[in-house]
Amino acid sequence: MRVYDLKTAYGLSDHVLDIAFDEVALSVLLEVLDNHRTQVVWLTDDTRQNAKGIQAITNPDGLMRDMETVGFLDTRSDEKCELPEALEKHIHEYGISVINVARAGWIDLLSQAGSKKWKVNVLGLGDVGGTLLTGLRLLGHDVVEQIGIFDLDPKRKRRWMLELSQILDPNVAAYPKIVELEMEALFDCDMFVFCASRSVPEVGSKIKDVRMVQYESNAKIIEPYAKMARNCGFEGVFAVVSDPVDQLCYKVYRSSNEDDAGIFDGLGLRPEQVRGYGLGVMFARASYYADQYGVFFEKGRAFGPHGKELIVANDPQDYDPTVSRQLTKLTVEANLEVREAGYKPFIAPALSSGALSLLNTMRGTWNDSTVMLDGVYIGCRNRLTSEGVEVERHEMSDLLVKKLEDVVEVLKAYV
């Protein structure tokens, strides 16, 4: 393995270190680890188009795995990584940043992210966008500094600025400030949230999977914003809330990395910058139905897209296919129950998948959202840390792993 002398070549501070199986590099590293908390960097050189720029690892054995595949979620085939005890302890306690030097701009990933309040810009102030904003305003005062709002309808934008700014609890010291945005300021933020949508079927529609009806039109809407993020060198999180989030995430990633001739050049958003927010409500719905039918769901998880390819697992390790299949069916069809009552199902998605999951992302806590694996975007539990995105890993049953692999193949139809 090549050892990169980052501090000499780039003038980096001593809190950022490159490591490799090299006695000199490791001896320097262990001295630093004895003294203070530091960001440890493991360098890779992955030239695959969809390889991430940065990822967090909290188990050293994961360093020996291909982190880009859906199989990485399963810990059973991890190989023992022999490292000095101090380094193993550091990885378990703080994690390690795996940075890909094949990604353009990788050197910019080497600065340690500190605690901060986020600037969040939201595009699209319809039913979902407005409800999501209400959640951010009420619950985000600890982590959100400012919420910028934009809609093509100036009256709608003005209305939400006034309404949100007048939500106030006198016992809360500081709510996020609400500001109206112009188009050119959309990516002046840490997180851009896309909530615009077309072609939502009316209540009473016989369409079973509403999300896929929306893909074609929403893909056309979102593409110009992906190009805009590319052109302004956006370094924040591009959050997709509009349906179908998994497929639209790939559309954003691909569009942002293509030049004017449509050729992939890798100069746009990194895979981990694009995140989809649709799985949170599916986990919430699965939990609801598990409670209704007396199913033990303490270890339950949801994976995959939040449409018909969703996978609900009663337990990733002790997987019961019959119970899980029943929970999956109830969860997927939950929106139809709301429609049968005469309403569009947007409140729970806007809050569970939207506001709550976005806030957990900003706080660095676990949430159910979409990340890239196997060259597609697929939902799983993960968190955004100062070391990068960390995906939750389990000992998984063979059947569950096979289901995940099958879903990846379905999603590849959109790649």
Side-chain angles (χ1 to χ4, degrees):
M1 177 183 289
R2 179 182 176 190
V3 180
Y4 295 80
D5 185 0
L6 301 180
K7 290 177 293 300
T8 300
Y10 298 101
L12 298 177
S13 59
D14 287 338
H15 79 277
V16 177
L17 295 175
D18 55 294
I19 66 173
F21 289 112
D22 175 271
E23 291 183 5
V24 176
L26 283 174
S27 65
V28 173
L29 172 65
L30 295 177
E31 286 184 18
V32 175
L33 293 182
D34 284 339
N35 295 325
H36 61 278
R37 166 79 168 93
T38 186
Q39 180 188 18
V40 179
V41 176
W42 189 287
L43 298 177
T44 64
D45 187 8
D46 192 336
T47 58
R48 288 175 288 185
Q49 279 191 358
N50 299 324
K52 300 178 188 69
I54 183 172
Q55 184 164 335
I57 293 291
T58 54
N59 184 332
D61 296 345
L63 289 167
M64 300 293 101
R65 292 289 302 279
D66 184 349
M67 302 171 199
E68 300 298 333
T69 69
V70 74
F72 182 67
L73 300 176
D74 179 15
T75 62
R76 290 176 303 164
S77 56
D78 282 357
E79 298 179 18
K80 181 64 178 174
C81 183
E82 299 293 341
L83 293 174
E85 182 179 348
L87 181 53
E88 283 205 23
K89 180 181 178 183
H90 179 93
I91 294 174
H92 283 298
E93 290 184 0
Y94 303 113
I96 185 172
S97 296
V98 180
I99 292 180
N100 183 10
V101 299
R103 294 292 313 189
W106 67 270
I107 194 66
D108 297 326
L109 301 175
L110 289 169
S111 59
Q112 184 178 14
S115 60
K116 65 174 182 179
K117 283 199 170 186
W118 292 57
K119 289 176 64 178
V120 182
N121 288 348
V122 179
L123 168 72
L125 307 181
D127 291 337
V128 171
T131 306
L132 181 151
L133 283 167
T134 304
L136 291 182
R137 168 75 174 183
L138 284 170
L139 303 173
H141 52 85
D142 64 319
V143 71
V144 181
E145 174 186 359
Q146 176 179 295
I147 303 172
I149 60 175
F150 180 82
D151 194 277
L152 294 176
D153 183 345
K155 291 183 179 179
R156 181 180 290 179
K157 182 169 61 171
R158 184 65 177 168
R159 175 230 178 170
W160 278 105
M161 192 283 291
L162 293 169
E163 295 273 34
L164 291 169
S165 299
Q166 294 166 25
I167 297 174
L168 181 66
D169 178 347
N171 298 298
V172 176
Y175 278 102
K177 182 180 180 181
I178 309 298
V179 298
E180 294 180 84
L181 298 175
E182 299 302 324
M183 179 77 76
E184 56 270 20
L186 279 176
F187 289 96
D188 180 15
C189 61
D190 304 298
M191 176 183 284
F192 170 75
V193 184
F194 183 87
C195 296
S197 186
R198 286 183 190 161
S199 301
V200 179
E202 293 299 322
V203 173
S205 168
K206 300 299 183 181
I207 297 172
K208 291 187 176 181
D209 198 344
V210 173
R211 300 169 191 88
M212 300 319 300
V213 176
Q214 296 175 271
Y215 175 72
E216 186 174 348
S217 57
N218 285 348
K220 293 177 182 177
I221 299 174
I222 207 169
E223 184 174 11
Y225 298 100
K227 294 292 188 184
M228 193 182 302
R230 169 193 173 94
N231 293 336
C232 70
F234 183 55
E235 284 294 325
V237 173
F238 193 121
V240 179
V241 177
S242 299
D243 286 328
V245 300
D246 306 74
Q247 292 85 345
L248 289 178
C249 279
Y250 189 82
K251 180 67 175 179
V252 169
Y253 172 67
R254 185 75 193 192
S255 297
S256 79
N257 280 282
E258 291 178 346
D259 62 18
D260 292 339
I263 298 173
F264 186 95
D265 58 15
L267 299 180
L269 298 169
R270 300 183 305 278
E272 68 276 7
Q273 286 182 264
V274 184
R275 300 173 58 87
Y277 292 87
L279 193 64
V281 73
M282 304 312 265
F283 177 76
R285 287 169 174 168
S287 298
Y288 167 77
Y289 286 111
D291 181 65
Q292 293 295 300
Y293 290 95
V295 175
F296 180 77
F297 201 64
E298 187 173 321
K299 297 181 180 179
R301 291 293 185 270
F303 300 93
H306 70 304
K308 63 181 181 180
E309 283 80 29
L310 174 78
I311 301 170
V312 175
N314 67 302
D315 183 331
Q317 183 177 6
D318 188 17
Y319 180 73
D320 185 321
T322 301
V323 171
S324 297
R325 184 167 55 251
Q326 292 171 339
L327 282 177
T328 299
K329 183 176 186 298
L330 289 166
T331 301
V332 169
E333 295 178 355
N335 63 328
L336 300 180
E337 283 198 85
V338 179
R339 285 180 168 271
E340 287 172 2
Y343 297 93
K344 291 181 181 179
F346 65 84
I347 296 174
L351 295 175
S352 289
S353 291
L356 293 171
S357 295
L358 291 168
L359 289 170
N360 283 333
T361 298
M362 290 181 258
R363 292 177 181 132
T365 51
W366 293 106
N367 62 93
D368 294 302
S369 53
T370 294
V371 298
M372 182 177 276
L373 292 169
D374 272 333
V376 300
Y377 281 89
I378 187 168
C380 63
R381 187 155 295 181
N382 65 89
R383 61 180 175 178
L384 182 61
T385 74
S386 59
E387 273 70 34
V389 177
E390 178 189 359
V391 297
E392 185 184 64
R393 307 176 69 219
H394 313 264
E395 288 189 13
M396 288 187 172
S397 76
D398 289 332
L399 183 55
L400 180 56
V401 173
K402 178 64 167 60
K403 281 183 168 290
L404 286 169
E405 291 171 345
D406 290 344
V407 169
V408 166
E409 292 306 309
V410 172
L411 289 171
K412 284 183 178 179
Y414 294 86
V415 173

